[in-house]
Amino acid sequence: MPQLRAVVFDLDGTLVDSAPDLLAAANLLLESLGRRQLGLTEIKAMIGDGTTRLVERALAATGAVPADSKLHVERFLAAYEAEATRLTQPYPGVLPTLQHLAEDGIRLAVCTNKPLKATTAVLGGLGLDRFFSAVVGGDSLAVRKPDPRVLLEALARLETAPNQAVMVGDNEHDVATARAAGVPMILVSYGYARLPVAELGADRLLHRFDALPAALAEIAGGPPPRLDRRRRRPL
C-alpha cells in the first residue's frame, strides 16, 4: 500500500471494554420496568449496532419491545451518559500504543455506531480524546456501519485516502465497512463479535492491542512512517 497516514478505530470492544457500564444502564432501565436483570455475557451479544438496537434487544430478551421503545432509548442514554466511564476501561496496551502511533505522526480517528454524545463522554472520561483528530458517531450521518460512508467520512476529516489508511475493529460490521470502503482491516479477537472472528476475513487478527504497530508495519510493507515532525499534532 502507499504510505500509511491514518488509522481509524471502532470504540466498544476495540479500544475500550464498555460492556459493564452498558449493562448497568440497561439494568437500571429494566428494573424501572419490573423486568429481570441481564448478565454481562448477554449484554456483550447486544453491542455493535447502535443504542437503539441494544435497547430493543434488551427489551426483547426480557419480555417484549413496547411501542414506546424510543422513550426507553432516551432513558437508557440518560442513565448511560451520566456515568459512561464508571466501570469502562481501555483495554491493556491501548494508551501506550495510541501514544506511539501519534508520536509517529499517524492520524487517528474513531468510527463507531455509538451516538456521538456518548462516544465523546467515553473518550473524554478516559482521557483518550486527545489522540483523535476525528470522531464519527452512530448519529453523525444518516447511516451507520456497515455502510462504508461513515468510514469514508472519518477519512475525509483526516484528509486521507482509503489506500493510505487501516481500520481496526472487533466485529463483522467493521470488516464489512472496511471492505466496502477499500480499506485494509485489522480485527481484534477480544471484543464483542457475534461471529467467530477468525472466519470474518480480516487482513490481520490481533490477540493483544499492543501488537498493532507490528501488524500495521506488515500491511504497509515496512514500519509505520515517521512523518515531518512539524506536522505532528501535539498531545
Side-chain angles (χ1 to χ4, degrees), residues 20-31:
D21 278 317
L22 292 167
L23 176 65
N27 279 339
L28 277 176
L29 173 63
L30 294 171
E31 182 180 19

Side-chain angles (χ1 to χ4, degrees), residues 29 46 48-60 65 69-74 76-77 113-115 138-139 144:
L29 173 63
M46 299 175 184
D49 295 296
T51 299
T52 297
R53 290 293 295 127
L54 187 152
V55 172
E56 289 175 349
R57 286 167 176 159
L59 293 170
V65 180
S69 61
K70 183 177 179 180
L71 174 62
H72 295 315
V73 172
E74 293 171 355
F76 169 87
L77 279 173
N113 281 343
K114 184 191 289 291
D139 53 357
R144 300 193 308 263

Side-chain angles (χ1 to χ4, degrees), residues 7 26 37 73 101 109 129 163 171-172 208-209 212 214:
V7 181
Q37 301 285 276
V73 172
L101 295 175
D129 53 338
N163 65 352
N171 68 27
E172 59 276 12
R208 295 172 27 160
F209 194 88
L212 178 59

Side-chain angles (χ1 to χ4, degrees), residues 87-113:
L87 302 171
T88 297
Q89 292 292 330
Y91 285 107
V94 165
L95 284 167
T97 301
L98 294 179
Q99 180 77 40
H100 169 80
L101 295 175
E103 289 178 351
D104 270 3
I106 305 299
R107 300 174 183 181
L108 307 178
V110 169
C111 181
T112 174
N113 281 343

